Amino acid sequence: MVIFVKAWAKTRTINSPYHGTLSSYGYVLMVLHYLVNIATPPVLPNLQLLWQRSKMPEGEGMEKESELIKGYDVRFWRDEEEIRKCAGKGELTRNNESLGELLRGFFVYYAQQGVGSPMGGFNWSQSVLSLRTRGGLVSKREKGWTGAKTTVDGREVERGGGGGGGGTTATTTAGDKDDRAAEEGGGVDDGGGGGAGGGGKKGKEGKGREIRHRYLIAIEDPFEIEHNVARTVGHFGVCAIRDEIRRAKGIVERVGREKNSGWGRSMGRGGVLGGGLFDEGPDREVLEREARERERRGREARERVERERLEGANRQV
């Protein structure tokens, strides 16, 4: 399922931090959150919580000593042999849903809120996906992830612009491209981590590493918990991601209603339903450029109307 979602995101051109969308690692965490916390019963156990099970005797992979790396708690149940034994006995999951059913639930959960969505759906504007947490969610307010901020060498500094959190729809700035390039090309790898110390660009004085943090989508790294894996996602990116998830939900649900339409025909490229999950996605950079141009023209038109209104008022005086 992880491979399927990653391939879908790549084909639909929504997995590039450089272009303001989400990294593959972010989609992995989204899938794991659904399988661990949302699917009923859970498909996967939460290994970060299982190490705490007091009924497990010492020596069976449940480390009881403190294990901190750079101040972060990285403990989890890591005894692979014991995990395989428990899985073989059916102790880790009792979920019998097919891959198709799980994929449908995944897209519905992230596509809509309210009745009909698993656990009421994901609240993009208020929730932080937190895999380490029981239940898998914390609020943006609780994390302090309610607005964009900039850090230099891990210290927060005052700076305007950038994307926001808590449902704001701020656009990205020209400097965002530097952050995205660092996120995708070297500062923070696709495997996560990085936090306040990875990615970004040199400060104006050439001292320290400057990082912009946005919280339009909030996905907490399971270990480096101050790092938002989705920090490069801007306004156009979050809109594209949510639109594509809703599109995928519609395709999957239509497949379920269509008789004699298999996954290969209806969900592949050029499916019989007027578009498949794996139809090639649009060029997001071109779309963003066109949207910015429309915004610029609209802003200029509004300013021109306001100037003419003021000039008319002055002539009357």
Side-chain angles (χ1 to χ4, degrees):
M1 183 167 168
V2 167
I3 294 173
F4 187 102
V5 171
K6 287 173 65 175
W8 161 78
K10 182 177 181 179
T11 302
R12 297 302 300 169
T13 62
I14 52 171
N15 76 325
S16 172
Y18 180 77
H19 292 121
T21 54
L22 189 60
S23 68
S24 293
Y25 181 51
Y27 288 105
V28 170
L29 294 178
M30 289 175 67
V31 172
L32 290 179
H33 168 63
Y34 181 79
L35 297 178
V36 171
N37 299 299
I38 306 305
T40 306
V43 177
L44 298 173
N46 189 324
L47 301 183
Q48 286 180 283
L49 294 179
L50 279 178
W51 78 267
Q52 300 174 2
R53 281 164 49 184
S54 58
K55 65 180 182 181
M56 295 296 292
E58 291 189 59
E60 291 191 4
M62 302 294 184
E63 295 83 351
K64 294 186 179 297
E65 71 278 3
S66 175
E67 190 172 339
L68 300 178
I69 296 180
K70 294 184 178 180
Y72 295 105
D73 188 344
V74 298
R75 290 170 291 185
F76 64 96
W77 186 19
R78 63 181 67 192
D79 190 325
E80 295 183 18
E81 183 178 352
E82 186 63 24
I83 292 173
R84 280 193 292 268
K85 287 181 181 178
C86 291
K89 296 176 183 178
E91 297 177 356
L92 298 184
T93 182
R94 290 179 173 79
N95 189 300
N96 295 315
E97 290 182 283
S98 67
L99 175 59
E101 291 170 323
L102 291 170
L103 281 168
R104 178 189 179 279
F106 170 84
F107 286 122
V108 172
Y109 172 70
Y110 287 108
Q112 69 181 43
Q113 288 182 259
V115 178
S117 184
M119 299 294 184
F122 182 70
N123 190 326
W124 295 80
S125 64
Q126 298 181 20
S127 294
V128 177
L129 192 157
S130 175
L131 198 60
R132 67 184 175 88
T133 303
R134 191 176 302 279
L137 296 172
V138 296
S139 70
K140 288 184 178 181
R141 186 173 300 279
E142 180 182 346
K143 289 282 295 182
W145 288 4
T146 56
K149 60 185 178 182
T150 300
T151 60
V152 175
D153 283 345
R155 296 186 301 274
E156 186 173 349
V157 297
E158 292 294 329
R159 186 182 181 91
T168 59
T169 55
T171 57
T172 53
T173 63
D176 296 343
K177 293 273 180 119
D178 297 319
D179 297 336
R180 296 172 191 166
E183 178 85 21
E184 189 166 82
V188 178
D189 65 27
D190 196 41
K201 59 181 180 179
K202 289 292 184 181
K204 292 182 178 179
E205 295 79 15
K207 298 179 181 179
R209 178 71 66 177
E210 181 180 301
I211 308 292
R212 287 190 186 88
H213 302 268
R214 303 169 195 83
Y215 305 107
L216 291 171
I217 300 179
I219 303 177
E220 178 190 78
D221 185 280
F223 298 108
E224 197 170 348
I225 61 176
E226 295 308 314
H227 174 51
N228 178 22
V229 174
R231 72 174 180 81
T232 59
V233 178
H235 171 56
F236 293 105
V238 70
C239 290
I241 291 168
R242 296 188 67 177
D243 285 347
E244 288 297 334
I245 290 175
R246 284 190 286 262
R247 175 183 181 274
K249 167 185 171 291
I251 293 173
V252 173
E253 289 185 333
R254 288 196 299 271
V255 168
R257 292 193 297 266
E258 288 286 328
K259 293 182 179 180
N260 303 318
S261 62
W263 283 67
R265 290 195 297 155
S266 299
M267 298 184 70
R269 292 181 173 86
V272 297
L273 299 175
L277 279 179
F278 288 92
D279 287 352
E280 187 173 351
D283 188 323
R284 301 290 172 188
E285 189 169 12
V286 171
L287 291 180
E288 181 174 342
R289 200 160 52 237
E290 292 174 348
R292 289 188 184 283
E293 178 63 19
R294 287 194 298 272
E295 284 185 354
R296 184 187 65 79
R297 291 177 180 175
R299 185 172 58 252
E300 290 177 349
R302 290 190 298 272
E303 291 172 351
R304 183 171 59 253
V305 169
E306 180 63 15
R307 283 197 305 271
E308 291 173 354
R309 185 188 68 80
L310 292 174
E311 289 173 359
N314 291 333
R315 283 195 296 269
Q316 291 177 359
V317 172

